[in-house]
Amino acid sequence: AQKVTQAQTEISVVEKEDVTLDCVYETRDTTYYLFWYKQPPSGELVFLIRRNSFDEQNEISGRYSWNFQKSTSSFNFTITASQVVDSAVYFCALSEAKSSGSARQLTFGSGTQLTVLP
Amino acid sequence: DSGVTQTPKHLITATGQRVTLRCSPRSGDLSVYWYQQSLDQGLQFLIQYYNGEERAKGNILERFSAQQFPDLHSELNLSSLELGDSALYFCASSPQGGRGNEQFFGPGTRLTVL
């Protein structure tokens, strides 16, 4: 069975600090996808990134970066120079990579509440 | 804006009642997923439809059912409601093949059972 663990329940930082959100996953599949979603106070779930199991190259998008390490089953998310608008709950998720149309539901971690203080 | 729409945004009802939540996927997406977000269970997958057919079931109660119509919109029916069914219900849709498995979520329907 798939499992995603986000051990950090809450993190609080001061604006402009860097912060890393941890994600550890378990799966027996050799092919899978990992995701990060953001849930701001307004409640919607916003897609941030998708990474497949074959691509261990780290990715950077503006102030966001992701570190995928298959050897440790981790997919960590770093926000550089955090801003108050980054305050949200961040979810890591995992899904199998079956063919189009097959069951590909997301298994979510419990989320990390990030608070960025001014 | 993800392109996925859900109605209603808020729903307040009483125990024992039945409600229907509606979801319209992004244009062109054939897969629709329903998730429940509650304080004690977190975000849980309920059920998936693909082009009108049920494809996967998660932790969906027997009191809950869903369907996807020919125009691809989906409805989640919740009956004999209990206090514990109070939650945020999300619908998500995903493209067919190509871009992988990312799912785009609607704004959610917040259900309060009194």
Side-chain angles (χ1 to χ4, degrees), chain B:
Chain B
D1 186 346
S2 68
V4 179
T5 60
Q6 289 186 249
T7 56
K9 194 171 176 61
H10 300 278
L11 199 48
I12 301 175
T13 188
T15 54
Q17 295 298 305
R18 172 189 169 94
V19 297
T20 298
L21 313 183
R22 183 188 168 104
C23 167
S24 292
R26 298 186 325 155
S27 177
D29 285 358
L30 299 180
S31 274
V32 168
Y33 306 77
W34 287 97
Y35 292 85
Q36 179 195 58
Q37 184 178 29
S38 62
L39 283 175
D40 53 345
Q41 299 290 333
L43 263 166
Q44 286 199 104
F45 167 70
L46 295 178
I47 196 164
Q48 180 209 358
Y49 279 82
Y50 174 74
N51 203 19
E53 292 186 6
E54 181 185 303
R55 279 303 176 105
K57 265 187 173 179
N59 296 322
I60 187 166
L61 299 171
E62 286 192 9
R63 300 183 285 108
F64 296 0
S65 64
Q67 54 184 330
Q68 186 179 28
F69 295 86
D71 67 352
L72 300 178
H73 90 271
S74 177
E75 292 180 356
L76 179 66
N77 301 296
L78 315 176
S79 61
S80 302
L81 286 168
E82 302 174 359
L83 296 177
D85 297 327
S86 295
L88 189 52
Y89 291 85
F90 285 106
C91 166
S93 72
S94 68
Q96 177 186 11
R99 297 186 59 194
N101 293 4
E102 64 263 38
Q103 296 177 21
F104 297 91
F105 284 76
T109 293
R110 184 168 295 282
L111 173 66
T112 303
V113 182
L114 301 175

